[in-house]
Amino acid sequence: MIELTDQQQRLLAKSGWPPRAVNPATKEMFVLLPEGMFERVRAVLEEEDEIAAVEEMGPLANEVLDEPSRESA
């Protein structure tokens, strides 16, 4: 678990909804949800049997996103 600093908490409070964070090393964007909301979304995806599809897409999406960086190297 990552614990937010006071400065990060203030920035997130000003950033709009839903707050987003970026990993500067990878440029990967994250959407931050309260745990309760995440669990509700997860439950809906599991009910629709979509959670497996979402989990399967993660590595595939990373491969596709990494391809241009390999070509430019």
Side-chain angles (χ1 to χ4, degrees):
M1 178 185 334
I2 298 170
E3 196 166 308
L4 299 175
T5 65
D6 289 339
Q7 179 186 12
Q8 290 167 327
Q9 290 174 45
R10 284 191 301 276
L11 290 170
L12 285 174
K14 294 178 185 178
S15 70
W17 180 256
R20 294 174 179 357
V22 65
N23 178 341
T26 64
K27 305 298 187 238
E28 186 176 16
M29 186 72 75
F30 297 87
V31 176
L32 306 177
L33 298 173
E35 186 175 11
M37 183 177 290
F38 169 78
E39 292 302 332
R40 291 196 308 265
V41 169
R42 182 183 188 111
V44 168
L45 292 174
E46 286 174 344
E47 280 178 18
E48 296 178 5
D49 201 26
E50 295 293 328
I51 195 74
V54 170
E55 289 172 346
E56 288 174 11
M57 281 191 300
L60 296 174
N62 285 336
E63 283 181 33
V64 170
L65 294 173
D66 286 343
E67 283 181 20
S69 63
R70 281 189 236 138
E71 291 175 9
S72 64

